[in-house]
């Protein structure tokens, strides 16, 4: 690392609230989920190294329009975002991922001559966090980078940021859709406290649309999403000494119109018993494990959500095909 890079790139901040024993927390969460009716597993289990790579492939699938639609909007609106947010912002990215979208924002701030006071990527994956922090520090040598390794769905404390810097939270990717509505509201309230009274949230949201488009986006012809879903069982076999036979669980994805969410499940193709961390888990034929919900918003439900968290919609941008929104939210 060069001297100038090490001056701007701060050591990763660890979340002081994080469990000191992540392994046993996972163990308890998995067994608890598998004892429920219906059986559930938490979607964060998707993202081991293989799952993260499968997700990257999903974002390139013809059926999975979300990533392309959001990129189209961020490309078109990055200048508007930089103009609205103004000078000396601290940009806090929830789930930093590959860092492509934030690069578009940082370029827009630079072209408007709005220096950025700090970039704070938050991610649970240490590897991904290190990659994005190093890349941004190298590409934007004047911006201090403060990576935070944390599960941002839980309460977290941020490193000290430059005083008087306006806090701009960036939560792209429609990940808000993976929270159930009450959890989404609680999460956004925490973001609201983090950005404070002059703060901003730039939020990526997938729009409610026809069931066929949504169904295809989560059950692609090449079977990549099915593999992503089943990879969770592979992970449990490895990390919790489980004995799932992946061939005996099929991927199921459908739009639940009443709840306005795509549900993903793994359905047992036959009656069977599986062992997880020494516990016996029985499945009936056709019984499923509910692995993910992906809520889709219309204007009313989005308004209700953000208002309940103390934000108001200042701008709402969509793509040409009107599939996705990027919302610019001011603290109300
Ligand atoms: C990360 N998240 C927003 C994705 C989604 O669309 O809900 C995860 C995903 N699940 C299946 N395909 C993609």
């Amino acid at each position: 690392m060069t001297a100038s890079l090490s001056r701007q790139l701060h050591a990763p901040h660890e979340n002081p609230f994080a469990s000191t024993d992540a392994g046993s927390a996972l163990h308890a969460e998995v067994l608890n989920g598998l004892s429920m009716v219906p059986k559930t597993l938490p979607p964060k289990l998707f993202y081991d190294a293989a799952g993260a790579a499968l997700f990257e492939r999903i974002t390139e699938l013809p059926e999975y329009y979300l990533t392309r639609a959001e990129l189209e909007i961020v490309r078109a609106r990055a200048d508007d975002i930089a103009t609205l947010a103004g000078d000396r912002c601290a940009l806090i990215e929830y789930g930093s991922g590959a860092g492509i979208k934030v690069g578009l924002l940082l370029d827009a701030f630079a072209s408007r001559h709005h220096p950025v006071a700090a970039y704070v990527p938050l991610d649970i994956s240490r590897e991904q966090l290190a990659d994005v922090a190093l890349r941004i520090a190298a590409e934007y040598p004047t911006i201090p980078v403060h990576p935070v390794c944390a599960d941002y769905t839980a309460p977290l404390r941020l490193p000290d940021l430059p005083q008087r810097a306006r806090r701009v939270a960036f939560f792209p990717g429609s990940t808000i859709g993976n929270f159930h509505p009450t959890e989404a509201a609680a999460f956004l309230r925490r973001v609201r406290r983090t950005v404070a009274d002059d703060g901003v949230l730039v939020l990526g949201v997938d729009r409610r649309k026809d069931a066929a488009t949504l169904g295809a986006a989560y059950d692609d012809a090449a079977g990549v999403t099915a593999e992503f879903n089943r990879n969770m069982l592979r992970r449990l076999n490895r990390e919790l000494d489980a004995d799932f036979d992946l061939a005996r669980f099929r991927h199921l994805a459908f739009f639940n119109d009443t709840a306005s969410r795509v549900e993903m499940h793994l359905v047992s193709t036959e009656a069977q018993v599986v062992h997880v961390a020494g516990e016996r888990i029985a499945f009936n034929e056709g019984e499923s494990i509910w692995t993910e919900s992906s809520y889709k918003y219309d204007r009313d439900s989005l308004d209700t959500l953000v208002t309940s968290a103390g934000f108001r919609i200042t701008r709402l941008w969509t793509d040409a095909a009107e599939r996705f929104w990027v919302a610019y939210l001011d603290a109300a």
Side-chain angles (χ1 to χ4, degrees):
M1 197 188 296
T2 64
S4 68
L5 187 56
S6 68
R7 262 198 307 280
Q8 293 307 325
L9 179 58
H10 297 253
H13 184 84
E14 302 290 333
N15 177 16
F17 295 103
S19 163
T20 49
D21 188 352
S24 73
L26 174 72
H27 180 152
E29 203 172 346
V30 165
L31 291 179
N32 182 41
L34 292 176
S35 69
M36 309 230 276
V37 182
K39 291 178 170 65
T40 61
L41 284 171
K44 67 180 173 199
L45 278 182
F46 285 135
Y47 301 97
D48 63 357
L54 284 164
F55 181 66
E56 285 308 310
R57 284 177 60 198
I58 288 175
T59 64
E60 284 157 17
L61 291 169
E63 297 94 332
Y64 195 78
Y65 59 86
L66 288 80
T67 312
R68 281 184 300 279
E70 187 178 50
L71 258 178
E72 178 188 326
I73 304 168
V74 174
R75 270 203 187 96
R77 300 299 180 176
D79 276 350
D80 296 301
I81 293 170
T83 304
L84 286 163
D87 220 356
R88 294 204 50 76
C89 292
L91 193 57
I92 304 166
E93 187 177 20
Y94 287 78
S96 54
I100 293 165
K101 292 164 204 156
V102 82
L104 293 169
L105 292 187
L106 295 175
D107 288 344
F109 278 101
S111 74
R112 311 243 117 213
H113 304 290
H114 289 330
V116 172
Y119 169 57
V120 185
L122 308 175
D123 211 298
I124 197 166
S125 155
R126 196 173 299 276
E127 294 75 34
Q128 206 147 25
L129 186 68
D131 282 355
V132 78
L134 276 168
R135 199 157 63 71
I136 297 293
E139 281 175 27
Y140 304 88
T142 59
I143 301 178
V145 178
H146 297 264
V148 178
C149 188
D151 173 2
Y152 59 78
T153 64
L156 55 90
R157 196 174 296 143
L158 292 184
D160 290 339
L161 296 177
Q163 280 185 349
R164 295 197 309 278
R166 184 181 203 193
R167 293 177 170 201
V168 177
F170 183 42
F171 191 35
S174 176
T175 306
I176 192 68
N178 297 133
F179 294 77
H180 291 291
T182 50
E183 296 166 359
F187 169 73
L188 292 186
R189 275 195 291 276
R190 284 202 297 278
V191 175
R192 170 68 181 78
R193 280 198 292 278
T194 299
V195 300
D197 289 347
D198 66 340
V200 169
L201 168 61
V202 178
L203 181 67
V205 184
D206 195 21
R207 298 178 64 169
R208 193 184 154 96
K209 57 186 64 64
D210 64 283
T213 303
L214 288 168
Y218 291 82
D219 191 8
D220 60 280
V224 181
T225 311
E227 190 53 26
F228 173 71
N229 200 4
R230 269 196 292 265
N231 179 60
M232 195 184 266
L233 303 183
R234 194 175 285 123
R235 179 173 184 179
L236 296 186
N237 285 350
R238 190 180 62 240
E239 293 185 23
L240 289 184
D241 199 22
D243 57 3
F244 284 99
D245 176 353
L246 273 59
R248 294 204 275 170
F249 287 87
R250 77 182 165 82
H251 168 69
L252 172 69
F254 60 91
F255 183 54
N256 176 334
D257 188 67
T258 316
S260 198
R261 66 183 177 221
V262 174
E263 294 183 15
M264 292 211 315
H265 295 256
L266 288 164
V267 181
S268 178
T269 56
E270 59 194 82
Q272 57 179 314
V273 171
V274 175
H275 300 90
V276 180
E279 298 287 327
R280 194 177 171 276
I281 315 283
F283 287 86
N284 295 320
E285 181 181 346
E287 186 178 355
S288 84
I289 310 174
W290 186 2
T291 50
E292 187 184 59
S293 294
S294 208
Y295 284 84
K296 308 300 169 186
Y297 285 87
D298 59 21
R299 181 62 206 249
D300 280 353
S301 56
L302 180 63
D303 256 328
T304 306
L305 172 67
V306 305
T307 310
S308 75
F311 286 105
R312 67 162 185 275
I313 299 177
T314 304
R315 294 281 193 285
L316 192 59
W317 297 295
T318 195
D319 55 304
E322 302 190 339
R323 295 163 296 183
F324 200 92
W325 275 319
V326 173
Y328 184 100
L329 309 173
D330 276 300

